[in-house]
Amino acid sequence: MNSSLRSAPQLGLILALILLALTLRPSMAAIGPVLPFIQQELPFSFSLASLLTMLPVLAMGLGILSAHFFAQKLGPYRLIFWAAAAIGLATLARFWTYSVWDLILTAVLSGLGIAMVQAVLPAVIKQRFASHAALVMGWYISAIIAGAALAASVSAYLAEVLQSWRLALGSWGLLSVLALLAWYLLKPSLSQLAAPTAGQNPLGYRKFRRGWTLAWFFGLVTCAFTCVLAWLPAYYVELGWSEPEAGLLLGFMISMEVLSGIVSPMLASRLYDRRPVLVVLALLMLAGFAGLLLWPAAGWLWAGLLGLGIGGLFPLSLIVAMDHRTEAQQAASLTAFVQAVGYTLAAFSPLFAGLIRDLTQSFHLSWLLLALVSLLVLGLCSRFNPRFYADCFATKSSVN
């Protein structure tokens, strides 16, 4: 680790960032593995079940744009604290859910909290870690994926051991308690973080073609992530696997995402041009979806390839966006726009896949479409030549 990252304040901030990141996916990732248990008690269709993934992702996309306003009013530190509290309260409230609509309400509330955290933290990372921002961003995003992996791997077993899917879902709120404590202890050093200005509104990037290119790139990768998160366990349960086995498969895939999320940014940080790493990761994702379609029996192989591909592309899609801007608030504003558009796009992919499942009684068409999405991602990788980054946003002053 670089010596500038070894001081006690920096290590404390890294720990708090990791704990916060761990809370940003369990509210969604825990649903898929325990969905069969929920449907036994609360019968509903796959289309309706898809709302449990779709609506929080949609709330994330729309909420990220409003985070700019709240960050100006509250400041980054307080906004992150209250957003993390909302995630914790929404997750803990699942102890007392008695209908699918209760679950949907908690999903939306947690999605809004996640949006606020993810919109503001890139600026904190860029401000506090300067030249090491890409590396710390990689750790932070890997921790997001690790939280999803933990929830996906353990939730079905918790539901069986505790004999309650409510306890299995609500227990993830304890992570938020730890994250809030760690973040609160940093208040003396973080309460004066610079807030965004009116001229750094993320919507200013809608005027730039490169802003939309980056948003589509992130959105397509997130479509793949959310669809697999929502439907991979259900797919393998239909093939005869038990619920815990299918949840463990999803957990293995997300564990590979964590590994790739750590290694891929490290490899890419050694390269001025990150495209070679991006292309390899896109090919891995393509191979994983093709395998699910053509030879599903080798589920562990395809889950591993998908994890490596998606896990590396997810952080790099945001790191590449940050590469386009040198100033912290500009980088945060651009990544907020990218995430807002990307999450809004990705929100509808689980619903679309769920509708296809209900209509065709199979997930095969969904895997085919996601293989085509992988081809689009592969094509977009060629657009990110760093020699031209300085020119991409040089013609307008609305976001400067």
Side-chain angles (χ1 to χ4, degrees):
M1 184 181 292
N2 189 287
S3 59
S4 63
L5 298 179
R6 290 177 178 171
S7 66
Q10 295 292 71
L11 288 174
L13 178 53
I14 290 171
L15 175 62
L17 290 172
I18 290 173
L19 286 172
L20 281 170
L22 288 171
T23 70
L24 299 182
R25 289 298 180 272
S27 61
M28 291 185 289
I31 291 290
V34 302
L35 185 60
F37 297 107
I38 299 173
Q39 287 180 314
Q40 289 174 14
E41 182 178 338
L42 307 173
F44 50 86
S45 69
F46 283 93
S47 300
L48 186 58
S50 68
L51 295 180
L52 295 173
T53 302
M54 171 194 166
L55 289 180
V57 177
L58 183 60
M60 288 162 60
L62 299 177
I64 280 172
L65 295 177
S66 62
H68 175 81
F69 170 80
F70 288 110
Q72 286 182 288
K73 297 299 182 182
L74 298 175
Y77 173 82
R78 287 205 296 166
L79 177 58
I80 290 171
F81 180 87
W82 289 114
I87 297 169
L89 286 173
T91 308
L92 290 169
R94 288 178 168 174
F95 285 131
W96 300 280
T97 53
Y98 294 97
S99 74
V100 66
W101 300 108
D102 292 337
L103 283 173
I104 288 173
L105 180 60
T106 62
V108 171
L109 179 58
S110 66
L112 290 172
I114 293 166
M116 302 297 163
V117 174
Q118 291 195 182
V120 177
L121 273 184
V124 176
I125 292 171
K126 193 83 171 179
Q127 285 181 52
R128 289 305 173 104
F129 296 101
S131 60
H132 303 289
L135 183 60
V136 176
M137 190 74 174
W139 294 341
Y140 157 69
I141 296 175
S142 295
I144 293 177
I145 302 171
L150 187 62
S153 300
V154 175
S155 293
Y157 288 100
L158 282 177
E160 286 194 338
V161 171
L162 300 174
Q163 297 185 345
S164 169
W165 56 264
R166 293 180 180 86
L167 291 176
L169 294 179
S171 61
W172 297 108
L174 299 177
L175 273 176
S176 293
V177 176
L178 291 175
L180 281 169
L181 176 61
W183 191 249
Y184 178 78
L185 293 175
L186 294 174
K187 184 177 181 179
S189 61
L190 296 182
S191 58
Q192 301 303 316
L193 284 168
T197 65
Q200 293 162 338
N201 192 325
L203 284 175
Y205 285 102
R206 74 188 187 280
K207 302 176 182 179
F208 297 90
R209 289 202 311 183
R210 178 48 60 97
W212 287 100
T213 300
L214 290 165
W216 274 95
F217 185 67
F218 175 79
L220 292 174
V221 172
T222 309
C223 280
F225 176 77
T226 54
C227 278
V228 173
L229 192 67
W231 299 125
L232 186 67
Y235 177 57
Y236 276 95
V237 168
E238 289 185 349
L239 293 178
W241 294 34
S242 70
E243 286 84 358
E245 287 174 333
L248 193 60
L249 179 69
L250 180 61
F252 169 70
M253 188 207 74
I254 303 177
S255 298
M256 291 298 99
E257 290 183 350
V258 175
L259 175 63
S260 186
I262 294 171
V263 174
S264 298
M266 291 176 62
L267 294 176
S269 67
R270 300 173 183 270
L271 302 173
Y272 172 66
D273 188 341
R274 307 194 198 277
R275 287 178 294 176
V277 178
L278 292 172
V279 167
V280 171
L281 294 171
L283 289 172
L284 290 173
M285 186 169 75
L286 174 61
F289 283 123
L292 289 179
L293 179 64
L294 300 174
W295 189 24
W300 294 98
L301 173 61
W302 310 132
L305 294 181
L306 284 170
L308 292 173
I310 296 172
L313 287 170
F314 188 68
L316 283 174
S317 62
L318 291 178
I319 290 170
V320 166
M322 291 177 67
D323 287 343
H324 283 72
R325 308 299 279 170
T326 56
E327 195 271 326
Q329 291 298 340
Q330 292 173 345
S333 186
L334 175 56
T335 57
F337 175 78
V338 166
Q339 290 179 90
V341 175
Y343 282 127
T344 302
L345 171 67
F348 294 94
S349 58
L351 175 62
F352 190 46
L355 289 171
I356 290 174
R357 164 61 184 77
D358 285 339
L359 291 172
T360 66
Q361 300 299 304
S362 171
F363 285 105
H364 288 106
L365 181 57
S366 297
W367 304 140
L368 175 61
L369 292 174
L370 286 167
L372 295 176
V373 164
S374 302
L375 287 174
L376 288 175
V377 169
L378 185 61
L380 287 173
C381 290
S382 65
R383 304 291 301 277
F384 302 128
N385 188 334
R387 291 187 300 166
F388 304 113
Y389 286 175
D391 301 325
C392 292
F393 302 108
T395 58
K396 296 181 178 68
S397 58
S398 60
V399 293
N400 293 328

